[in-house]
């Protein structure tokens, strides 16, 4: 059912955990639907230097979470915003059709974490200014 | 790695004796039972014998009350659609429970499109149907009640005999889906007092793709599959002779061993349940502690999701099942778990382990060894779980 | 005594290679294809492979167009009821032929009770449906046409591709019952131009109780069997994995051998037909001399009754069939023979001999040796036959 | 399906043929329905001394024909009239339910043959008287 890549990321998920002093946090999904993903990012000089996640969800949800944290690390904010859910699915060598919504979840959580970071930046700038 | 198969409610390995009984009909005994020459008559005899053996185990009064089908789902569909359409001039109301298998549930839903009204009787937090609730749901239009004998997910055994007493008095047709009980606990159509009863061979170490519907004498049914005159014009199609012979063999063997096997499984089941509850916090047992199938263990682990759990167990060599929505790709978890009153997020974390003939105490202990670590690993990954507090984070 | 089996249209012996292919799934590979763990995935793979192989042989554009069923009858019922109910808002008229198998015929009759109108297109004296007659029967209400590819009794092959041309233009759904042709003559869903096509494994040396319905992409069907999400929600029930694997194996083998086997059978068939007509007076060939199945011989012997003939043949070691009413206990002989315009008393005297892979020239000659004596013996016993005049007594 | 007795009478039917100078002939059935039986009887001193049949029909029809001719031989007319279709079926160790009509056929053909004989007797008597 799942590709080897999915199984690898599911079995040995990268970057599980929290970043206590994160620059951005995003939560997507809903435990009622069986899927919730929380994503933390650390940004330095406009570049994501660290990303961590915690996910309540199925194998695909965990694997996409793991994969997206790997994909964003080292990327600039602009580059990270380009990551689509299809890109995440492709990086995992595909997902079963019924599981495609899991890749949406990851991409959306990332976007929310970035939005959070950008909002904080704005807040910091305006309080500086 | 030796696999540990704990999904006997999904399907069972076929017994070697059953295959042995089938082989002649997969080889030289290939006649069509409808043919009048020697080969056909031999096949007919095999069918007759199988029908007779199954009728006896179920306590049917005549082998003519057994209709062979392609499995439990077809038996359920034939019973419910067949009776509903045959009785539609008498009334249009059907009663069923909130925790039926989809073969009953979806069939009733389909009948709603054909002008029938369906009442879903709720269950209590153990998953038990209250006979009084069935009685209360009756209307002058009620023509059929279908309540399963035992539930496939949570293993709860229903008070079928009590319900049938209420329905008998009023002459209302009563069907039970006994797919999970036949071959595992005693099933006697007269003791249960049912008019129709579904069973499926692959649930009791028989072949997949063959089942039967018991239909009490005198009950009219519209066929589901029209065509040749097989099965007394009630189910057309060349009979799966080998499969039917295998089903009968499997049933007779299961009935013979039940007296020893059921208590054996019950003991292992309780050891597994107690072991899980003792070792893993934030865990609930689904279903009734005693009124449950000998082989059924169903639990919910808070903060984690079932599919992830199954995949981890699989990698550790353990085959199990879940009512998790994610095993089916839908967002709604099992309607059975929701009917118990479980919140969605908890229903998502369900695990079903179902024991069988081959299950050993060593296997149970191996599961108890492995399971806590897997649950903990997934909880550590869960944003809902606060590891240090050991309780819900928000 | 070595038996001579000449009833391959009723059922065929399973090939040893097919059993070989099935055995792993009757033994250690017992997983439920719906389960997500290793055992389940293995079973799923086996199903996927079988579906793929079958789709390729039929020329389907995707394996998703194949729905597994419990046989030809279920496939016919699913096609016809499924399409009729799905399209009932578009129209209520169904066209079929006068010589369909009961699985189609009785299904259409049943639909009449549900408000559908059915037109039976007649056949000519060879049993052939005129495409123009189908065209003439069309009404604005027509939603479905079902015409069999070849008839099971008289072997006549229908001009399916010509009929489909007419229906395609008008966007009317076209089903064909190809139970008698698949594995015997080329069957390609695109060449035939059909939207749905039924097949049954036991007719081509596969197991009994398993079949398939080809359903062209995009066609909506109401399921016949509701329940679990198997077969893309189109046919519920745990899959008969071993049977399905066997069906695919049998079909691939049959398709591979067809190029040699069909002409071989045709030659034997013609030798048998000519032998019978030459040796036994007052005998007619049923069906078309050329547009017929490679293995089908169907004749009527005047003055005698089919069942008595079959029993005598059986005692001589020959297994054959008849459209005689007396084989089924009804008084009406086969509707197929009557549709050809045969008088009742002649239709009663029908004999069907259907050849198969194992049929040899020596067997054909043995039948030709024995048959004339049996016919003569029964005629001598018949009050309708004047032995001396050699013709009808009154 | 058929009892051994049925198969025996079907395979080796007794009394096949016609009685050219029969005292009574009865025909029952209809070739359209796939069953027709013709029965000849020879009567001496009120006793059936010979019976023959010809039958167009299935195995059961032939066997019941054969059996009934055996059963009537040696019987008086009164005794022969007592032969019911159930008796014929029983003498054959039973018939499959769908074949019970075949035993009707035989009993009815016998009754017609006897009626024919009785009618001829009457005719002979009245032409004698
Ligand atoms: C033309 C035709 N259609 C349908 C069927 C039914 O197939 P099955 O017996 O597998 O249900 C048969 C054979 O019995 C047949 O010959
Ligand atoms: C309670 C119950 N009913 C019906 C079915 C359907 O049986 P089958 O898969 O043989 O069609 C099952 C199992 O899948 C079941 O557990």
């Amino acid at each position: 059912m799942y590709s080897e890549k999915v199984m690898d990321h599911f079995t040995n998920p990268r970057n599980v955990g929290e970043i206590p002093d994160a620059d951005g946090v995003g939560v997507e999904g809903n435990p009622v639907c069986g899927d919730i993903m929380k994503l933390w990012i650390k940004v330095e000089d406009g570049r994501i230097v660290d990303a961590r996640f915690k996910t309540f969800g199925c194998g695909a949800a965990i694997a996409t979470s793991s994969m997206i944290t790997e994909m964003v690390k080292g990327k600039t904010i602009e580059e990270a915003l380009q990551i689509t859910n299809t890109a995440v699915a492709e990086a995992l060598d595909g997902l079963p059709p019924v599981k495609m919504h899991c890749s949406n979840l990851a991409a959306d959580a990332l976007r929310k974490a970035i939005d959070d970071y950008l909002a904080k930046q704005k807040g910091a700038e305006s309080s500086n200014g | 790695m030796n696999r540990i198969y704990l999904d006997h409610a999904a399907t069972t390995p076929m017994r070697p004796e059953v295959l042995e009984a089938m082989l002649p009909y997969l080889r030289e005994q290939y006649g069509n039972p409808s043919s009048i020459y020697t080969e056909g008559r031999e096949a007919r005899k095999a069918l007759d014998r199988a029908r007779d053996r199954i009728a006896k185990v179920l306590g049917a009064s005549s082998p003519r009350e057994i209709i062979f089908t392609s499995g439990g789902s077809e038996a359920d569909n034939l019973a419910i659609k067949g009776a509903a359409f045959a009785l539609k001039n008498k009334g249009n109301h059907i009663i069923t429970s909130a925790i039926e298998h989809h073969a009953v549930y979806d069939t009733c839903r389909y009948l709603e499109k054909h002008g029938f009204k369906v009442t879903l009787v709720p269950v209590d937090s153990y998953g038990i149907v209250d006979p009084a609730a069935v009685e209360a749901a009756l209307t002058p239009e009620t023509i059929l009640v279908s309540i399963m004998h035992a539930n496939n997910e949570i293993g709860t055994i229903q008070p079928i005999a009590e319900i049938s007493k209420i329905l008998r008095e009023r002459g209302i047709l009563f069907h039970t889906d006994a797919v999970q009980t036949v071959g595992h606990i005693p099933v006697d159509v007269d003791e249960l007092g049912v008019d129709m009863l579904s069973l499926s061979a692959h649930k009791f170490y028989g072949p997949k793709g063959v089942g039967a519907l018991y239909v009490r004498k005198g009950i009219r049914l519209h066929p589901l599959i029209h065509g040749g005159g097989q099965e007394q014009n009630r189910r057309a199609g060349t009979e799966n002779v080998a499969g039917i012979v295998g089903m009968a063999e499997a049933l007779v063997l299961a009935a013979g061993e039940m007296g020893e096997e059921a208590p054996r499984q019950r003991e292992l089941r309780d050891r597994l349940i107690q072991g899980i509850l003792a070792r893993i916090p934030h865990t609930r047992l689904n279903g009734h502690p005693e009124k449950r199938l000998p082989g059924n263990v169903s639990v919910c682990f808070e903060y984690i999701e079932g599919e992830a759990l199954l995949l981890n167990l699989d990698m550790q060599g353990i085959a199990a099942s879940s009512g998790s929505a994610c095993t089916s790709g839908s967002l709604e978890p099992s309607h059975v778990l929701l009917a118990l009153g479980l919140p969605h997020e908890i229903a998502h974390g369900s695990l079903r382990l179902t024991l069988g003939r081959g299950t050993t105490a060593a296997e149970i202990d191996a599961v108890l060894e492995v399971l806590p670590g897997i649950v903990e690993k997934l909880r550590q990954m869960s944003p809902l779980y606060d590891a240090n507090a050991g309780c819900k984070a928000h």
Side-chain angles (χ1 to χ4, degrees), chain A, chain B:
Chain A
M1 172 175 69
Y2 288 134
S3 70
E4 275 177 39
K5 270 259 179 67
V6 172
M7 286 310 289
D8 174 34
H9 275 267
F10 166 68
T11 321
N12 309 299
R14 303 4 168 206
N15 313 308
V16 176
E18 313 189 359
I19 303 180
D21 57 343
D23 297 308
V25 187
V27 186
E28 186 58 41
N30 186 331
V32 170
C33 300
D35 273 323
I36 184 164
M37 180 181 174
K38 200 165 176 182
L39 198 132
W40 291 261
I41 51 174
K42 184 97 199 134
V43 187
E44 278 173 19
D45 300 332
R47 209 171 270 280
I48 297 173
V49 293
D50 199 7
R52 298 271 168 103
F53 78 94
K54 278 200 169 182
T55 290
F56 162 82
C58 65
I62 292 172
T64 50
S65 305
S66 165
M67 177 53 87
I68 208 165
T69 54
E70 284 286 278
M71 288 169 78
V72 294
K73 278 204 275 183
K75 287 222 165 47
T76 64
I77 293 296
E78 289 72 43
E79 286 166 351
L81 282 171
Q82 309 296 321
I83 297 175
T84 60
N85 45 56
T86 342
V88 183
E90 274 169 15
L92 287 165
D93 293 345
L95 284 174
V98 297
K99 298 292 186 180
M100 284 305 293
H101 78 101
C102 297
S103 54
N104 290 359
L105 199 70
D108 290 351
L110 172 62
R111 181 162 301 261
K112 284 195 175 172
I114 294 175
D115 286 350
D116 182 45
Y117 160 74
L118 294 175
K120 279 184 186 154
Q121 284 290 94
K122 249 205 189 126
E125 267 167 32
S126 52
S127 61
N128 282 356
Chain B
M1 184 170 61
N2 256 342
R3 300 275 304 171
I4 299 178
Y5 184 76
L6 288 175
D7 202 14
H8 290 84
T11 196
T12 56
M14 206 159 78
R15 298 173 70 130
E17 307 96 304
V18 170
L19 178 56
E20 223 38 64
M22 291 169 69
L23 279 176
Y25 301 95
L26 295 171
R27 290 187 176 134
E28 63 281 0
Q29 300 267 40
Y30 59 82
N32 186 321
S34 299
S35 303
I36 66 168
Y37 44 76
T38 311
E39 289 83 349
R41 293 198 305 268
E42 290 299 322
R44 164 72 44 206
K45 258 188 232 161
L47 279 193
D48 286 347
R49 172 151 189 268
R51 202 185 301 280
D52 210 57
R53 297 176 89 190
I54 293 169
K56 286 218 174 69
V57 171
L58 298 179
S61 59
S62 154
R64 295 172 62 86
E65 296 180 323
I66 307 298
I67 302 177
F68 296 128
T69 69
S70 67
S73 299
E74 188 191 327
D76 286 341
N77 276 256
L78 172 57
I80 294 172
K81 293 181 194 163
F85 284 121
L87 294 176
K88 76 162 179 279
N89 294 330
K90 263 190 66 187
N92 71 344
H93 182 235
I94 299 170
I95 298 173
T96 187
S97 86
I99 61 165
E100 295 297 311
H101 187 271
H102 280 283
V104 168
Y105 183 83
D106 290 11
T107 299
C108 289
R109 287 277 174 244
Y110 179 71
L111 286 176
E112 288 182 326
K113 292 193 206 165
H114 282 272
F116 293 90
K117 295 206 165 60
V118 177
T119 301
L120 293 187
V121 175
V123 293
D124 67 15
S125 61
Y126 289 126
I128 290 182
V129 172
D130 182 354
V134 175
E135 184 162 15
L138 293 171
T139 77
E141 293 294 310
T142 307
I143 50 172
L144 174 67
V145 175
S146 180
I147 309 281
M148 71 201 311
H149 192 191
N151 183 271
N152 45 303
E153 293 186 34
I154 58 172
T156 304
I157 300 170
Q158 302 296 347
I160 298 298
E162 287 174 53
I163 298 170
S164 74
K165 268 194 213 95
I166 295 165
L167 300 174
R168 279 264 153 127
E169 279 170 15
R170 292 163 174 81
I172 292 168
L173 220 55
F174 187 23
H175 166 253
T176 192
D177 174 341
V179 167
Q180 288 291 335
T181 53
V182 169
H184 299 285
I185 61 172
V187 172
D188 182 292
V189 291
D190 282 339
E191 279 168 27
L192 293 176
V194 294
D195 300 305
M196 300 189 282
L197 180 145
S198 307
L199 58 97
S200 182
H202 74 101
K203 304 290 188 183
F204 48 84
Y205 310 96
K208 292 179 178 55
V210 51
L213 181 67
Y214 159 82
V215 184
R216 195 173 289 278
K217 205 178 143 188
I219 290 174
R220 281 199 318 126
L221 287 185
H222 283 199
L224 189 65
I225 301 181
H226 288 83
Q230 293 93 347
E231 301 295 305
Q232 309 163 55
N233 284 312
R234 296 180 138 191
R235 200 283 187 182
T238 303
E239 299 89 342
N240 179 353
V241 181
I244 289 166
V245 165
M247 170 163 63
E249 183 72 15
L251 184 56
V252 168
L253 289 170
E257 290 175 2
M258 192 184 291
E260 288 186 16
E261 184 57 20
R264 192 190 73 87
Q265 283 188 28
R266 253 182 227 114
E267 205 183 309
L268 292 178
R269 170 196 78 188
D270 291 340
R271 175 181 185 144
L272 182 52
I273 291 174
Q274 280 143 30
I276 291 174
L277 296 178
R279 276 162 224 229
I280 308 179
H282 310 293
T283 301
R284 329 180 174 200
L285 175 67
N286 302 318
H288 195 279
E290 284 113 40
K291 293 176 190 163
R292 75 186 301 134
L293 288 168
N296 176 287
V297 174
S298 172
V299 289
C300 278
F301 301 109
E302 294 180 33
Y303 318 127
I304 65 173
E305 195 279 332
E307 196 217 57
L309 188 58
L310 295 194
L311 290 175
N312 273 292
L313 282 167
D314 185 33
M315 287 183 296
Q316 304 284 331
I318 299 165
S321 159
S322 168
S324 153
C326 255
T327 60
S328 60
S330 95
L331 294 180
E332 277 285 298
S334 139
H335 66 289
V336 175
L337 298 174
L338 295 181
L340 301 182
L342 290 179
H344 275 68
E345 61 272 31
I346 291 182
H348 280 293
S350 72
L351 174 69
R352 179 185 75 178
L353 298 158
T354 45
L355 288 54
R357 291 180 65 232
T359 307
T360 62
E363 288 182 341
I364 298 301
D365 293 342
V367 172
L368 288 173
E369 202 59 42
V370 160
L371 187 57
I374 294 176
V375 171
E376 186 54 26
K377 175 182 149 189
L378 288 172
R379 282 181 174 169
Q380 291 295 348
M381 224 184 275
S382 170
L384 306 177
Y385 183 69
D386 181 338
N388 303 320
C391 73
K392 215 168 170 176
H394 54 196

